Structures are given as C-alpha cells and as structure tokens.
C-alpha cells in the first residue's frame, strides 16, 4: 500500500482487528458485548451439522448470526472473514461433495486453527475429495486472495464486513465475485446513526464489531451504488453493550445484528414494480415443507399464490431457489409501483422465528 493518510488508517484498522481476534480473544467468553455472539436458534440442518464440527473450531467462533440458508446443495460458496472456520465447516456439509466452500481471512492465528482439522473433517463427512479450503487475504481484495470474478454462487459473512476500513470496496468485490443470480447472505452489525470518530477508532469498539457498524441507511446506499439494488432484511436483533466504558462512548446509539439478502440480478430495479406476477412456493426446501421466509415481509405458504413485485419474482425464479418456486407472468405489462406495505398479520412460517421488523420491498 502507498503511504497515504487513508491507507495508513486502513493499516491501523487491519492491525487492531488482527491483534484483537488473533491475540486478545482466546474464546467467545472474552467478549465485552453481545455483538459477536448469537442468541437466535439456527435451523435444524445447521444444528445437526454443528454436532460434527470440532470443538476447537466452535470455541473460537465470533459471529452475530447464522448466515446459512437451507437448500444450498451443490453451490460454490465463499465466506468473508472466515475466522476459525465454523461457518465454513457447517457449509461444507450443507453444499455436499458436489459443492465447494472457500474461506478468506487475514489473521494467521485463525487460519491456522481453521485449516488444522480439514482432513479429519472430510473423513467425518465421508467425502472422497476435500470441498473446503482456506485462503489468506483481505476481503477488500478478493481477486488478490485467489477469488476470480463470477466464480461463486453465494457469499456469506458473519459479523465481519463491519470490521473493514472500506466497506464499499468489499461490497463491490462481492458483486464481482458472484455469478449472475448469485446471493450475498450475511449477518452484520448496524447502527441507527453515524458514530463519532472517537467511537469508530476505539480499539475495543472496533474489535467488538461496534466501531465499524454502518448506519443502516448508509449501508443501503452502498448496496445500490455497487449493484445490489434491493437489499432485503431477513432478521434483526438488538445488541447489548455491557461494558460501562463502551456504554458511555456509544451514547444513545442503538446497535443491531441484521441478516440481509442481496441478489446479483441484472434486471433488478431500485423500486418494487408491479407486473401482475404471482409466485408459488413448492414446499421443497429442506425443513420448510409448509412455508418459506424470503425476507421479513415475504413468507410464502406452500401452494398458496402470492402477488409479488418484479424484483421478488426474479429473486425466487432466477437464483439458486428457482427449482423451489413457480412464477406465473412476466414483465411485458406494467401496472405501476407495487404496494410494498407489509401484511397486517404475518404468517408463522417454518423460518418465522427469524423475522424482525417489517418494511416494504424497497
């Protein structure tokens, strides 16, 4: 890196984060906030897969969600900031022997832990060839880490993008790495306002995933600039700040763990438009025979027609979910803006426990 002011600041962030996760934290018990821990129950498929993950991997896991959708067999998956590799190990079981999982991380100590158990784990899964690899690199520069453009179907990340000194560069790289119809499915920490410079640069605030927390609306603006025109919120959970010093530093700022879904679709629009399309869920995704939650205001009941906007129709019929949905209609006739108002009473679907506050499609 050239020795400019911006790049020197980035180097300081990298050093602070790498030191915090590589040397300061020895397990999740050392954390001072709830930002890098999870309280929501993951899916049964994830729970089952976790029973086979080595304890050392699980003990050094720091994350704010479970960014792993069900039904991803055969996909090529990339994990940003894979850390000890817990989510990668789980994903390796979920994508199966015909899929692949790659973890990228910048911290030597975490990479050493993550790589150590791969051969043993492949034997546990009964795979003839390994489908799990780890690479050293920065999530802002995926190509330098060996991730080629349009090479993956899904990108996941668990409470990591907020640690980056250049989040827009991360999102741009993710968009480029995804194939058409690919998805960024990730959990991260967000704030209801822009933080002070003091809070953003505090070492513990950075390490605990709070200092780098984006203002929610700034995140949406970044998404739209790089090509993710319609980011969808799947779940939201408040974060507790327990340390008195950090509480004082944060002031009245509120932090949240949010899981978002962002799709790379060339026909995506910035607003939800009405083309009179109807979508049907077939009930075929694993552990979701009765309904499927696309986001916090789209719960599809099996076999029941749902009027959807053009963006939602593309999300379910032009991505990895296409075999599980049927969409009737196309975009040949336009009826104006789609009514994005959330339903008065939400359905209790198989994944409804993940539901947070509702908003419109857009």
């Amino acid at each position: 890196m050239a020795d400019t002011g911006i790049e020197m600041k980035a180097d300081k962030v990298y050093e602070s984060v790498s030191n915090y996760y590589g040397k300061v934290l020895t397990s999740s018990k050392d954390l001072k906030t709830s930002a890098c821990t999870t309280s929501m129950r993951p899916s049964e498929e994830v729970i089952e897969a976790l029973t086979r993950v080595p304890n050392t991997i699980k003990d050094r896991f720091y994350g704010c969600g479970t960014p792993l959708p069900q039904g991803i067999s055969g996909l090529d998956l990339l994990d940003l900031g894979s850390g000890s590799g817990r989510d990668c190990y789980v994903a390796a079981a979920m994508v199966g022997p015909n899929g692949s999982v790659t973890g990228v991380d910048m911290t030597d100590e975490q990479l050493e832990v993550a790589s150590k158990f791969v051969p043993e784990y492949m034997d546990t899964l009964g795979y003839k060839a390994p489908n799990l690899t780890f690479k050293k690199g920065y999530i802002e520069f995926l190509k330098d880490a060996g991730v080629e453009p349009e090479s993956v179907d899904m990108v996941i990340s668990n409470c990591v993008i907020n640690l980056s000194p250049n989040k827009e560069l991360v999102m741009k790289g993710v968009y480029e790495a995804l194939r058409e119809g690919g998805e960024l499915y990730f959990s991260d920490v967000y704030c209801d306002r822009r933080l002070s410079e003091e809070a953003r640069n505090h070492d513990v605030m950075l390490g605990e995933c709070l200092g780098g927390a984006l203002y929610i609306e700034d995140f949406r603006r970044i998404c739209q600039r790089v090509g993710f025109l319609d980011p969808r919120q799947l779940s939201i959970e408040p974060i507790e700040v327990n340390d008195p010093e950090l509480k004082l530093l944060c002031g009245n700022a509120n932090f949240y763990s949010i899981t978002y879904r962002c799709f790379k679709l060339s026909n995506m629009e910035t607003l939800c438009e009405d083309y009179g399309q109807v979508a049907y869920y077939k009930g075929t995704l694993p552990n979701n025979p009765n309904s499927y939650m696309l986001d916090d205001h789209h719960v599809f009941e099996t076999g029941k027609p749902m009027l959807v906007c053009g963006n939602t129709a593309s999300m379910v019929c032009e991505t990895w979910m296409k075999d599980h949905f049927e969409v009737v209609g196309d975009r040949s006739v336009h009826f104006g803006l789609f009514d994005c108002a959330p339903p008065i009473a939400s359905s209790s679907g198989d994944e409804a426990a993940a539901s947070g506050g509702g908003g419109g499609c857009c």
Side-chain angles (χ1 to χ4, degrees):
M1 287 186 178
D3 195 19
T4 66
I6 293 175
E7 288 165 341
M8 286 176 66
K9 185 176 179 181
D11 286 342
K12 181 179 182 299
V13 173
Y14 290 141
E15 182 182 357
S16 175
V17 171
S18 183
N19 180 67
Y20 199 72
Y21 283 88
K23 297 181 174 64
V24 175
L25 297 181
T26 59
S27 78
S28 57
K29 296 176 182 178
D30 297 328
L31 295 165
K32 297 179 183 293
T33 74
S34 67
C36 293
T37 58
T38 57
S39 61
M40 296 179 66
R41 181 179 174 84
S43 69
E44 293 302 322
E45 188 176 6
V46 169
I47 291 173
E48 194 280 328
L50 277 170
T51 63
R52 293 175 286 181
V53 176
N55 287 330
T56 303
I57 298 292
K58 291 185 284 191
D59 288 344
R60 296 209 53 169
F61 165 74
Y62 317 111
C64 59
T66 308
L68 286 165
Q70 299 178 78
I72 58 174
S73 178
L75 299 189
D76 295 317
L77 185 145
L78 171 67
D79 184 8
L80 302 181
S82 50
S84 71
R86 192 206 73 161
D87 289 341
C88 288
Y89 276 72
V90 172
M94 294 174 67
V95 301
N98 295 323
S100 69
V101 177
T102 302
V104 173
D105 202 275
M106 68 176 184
T107 308
D108 289 327
E109 291 87 351
Q110 293 281 61
L111 287 167
E112 182 180 357
V113 172
S115 301
K116 181 178 180 180
F117 299 95
V118 171
E120 172 190 325
Y121 187 63
M122 292 297 105
D123 289 340
T124 299
L125 295 179
Y127 293 173
K128 294 181 179 179
N131 71 343
L132 173 59
T133 58
F134 293 96
K135 299 176 182 290
K136 183 174 182 178
Y138 297 99
I139 61 175
E140 299 85 356
F141 306 102
L142 292 176
K143 194 169 182 180
D144 292 346
V147 180
E148 293 299 319
E150 300 184 357
S151 63
V152 296
D153 303 301
M154 179 171 289
V155 177
I156 64 170
S157 183
N158 202 335
C159 201
V160 169
I161 295 177
N162 73 84
L163 298 172
S164 170
N166 193 332
K167 298 167 183 61
E168 186 159 345
L169 194 58
V170 175
M171 297 295 287
K172 185 174 183 292
V174 169
Y175 192 85
E176 292 173 352
L178 285 168
R179 300 180 178 120
E180 174 69 11
E183 178 180 2
L184 168 61
Y185 187 112
F186 75 115
S187 299
D188 220 314
V189 176
Y190 298 88
C191 193
D192 64 354
R193 66 198 66 196
R194 294 172 183 141
L195 296 171
S196 68
E197 186 173 355
E198 182 185 6
R200 292 198 308 270
N201 294 326
H202 191 279
D203 284 344
V204 177
M205 285 282 288
L206 280 171
E208 295 275 334
C209 302
L210 300 182
L214 270 177
Y215 170 44
I216 294 171
E217 298 307 322
D218 285 342
F219 165 72
R220 292 181 179 276
R221 294 181 180 106
I222 288 174
C223 284
Q224 295 203 340
R225 285 199 295 269
V226 305
F228 294 120
L229 299 185
D230 189 2
R232 299 291 181 91
Q233 179 179 300
L234 179 63
S235 66
I236 183 169
E237 188 176 6
I239 289 171
E240 296 178 5
V241 179
N242 304 312
D243 184 80
E245 180 188 352
L246 296 188
K247 276 187 176 181
L248 188 63
L249 191 60
C250 293
N252 293 321
N254 296 301
F255 297 89
Y256 303 93
S257 168
I258 303 178
T259 298
Y260 276 107
R261 306 185 72 169
C262 303
F263 295 90
K264 181 178 180 177
L265 289 161
S266 58
N267 62 356
M268 196 71 74
E269 299 181 279
T270 56
L271 295 175
C272 295
E273 303 291 347
D274 189 352
Y275 298 98
Q277 293 167 291
V278 174
Y280 295 82
Y281 173 53
K282 300 178 182 179
T284 51
L285 279 161
N287 300 309
N288 288 268
N290 301 314
S291 59
Y292 179 75
M293 176 176 280
L294 175 68
D295 55 43
D296 64 5
H297 56 289
H298 286 93
V299 179
F300 293 87
E301 290 189 48
T302 301
K304 182 180 180 179
M306 178 185 284
L307 187 64
V308 294
C309 70
N311 284 352
T312 298
S314 293
M315 289 175 189
V316 299
C317 76
E318 298 177 27
T319 66
W320 64 272
M321 293 179 282
K322 61 183 182 293
D323 292 336
H324 306 285
F325 284 84
E326 179 185 356
V327 172
V328 178
D330 54 31
R331 297 193 180 193
S332 59
V333 180
H334 182 232
F335 297 98
L337 275 177
F338 189 84
D339 182 4
C340 292
I344 296 174
S346 61
S347 301
S348 55
D350 296 304
E351 292 189 357
S355 177
C361 302
C362 37

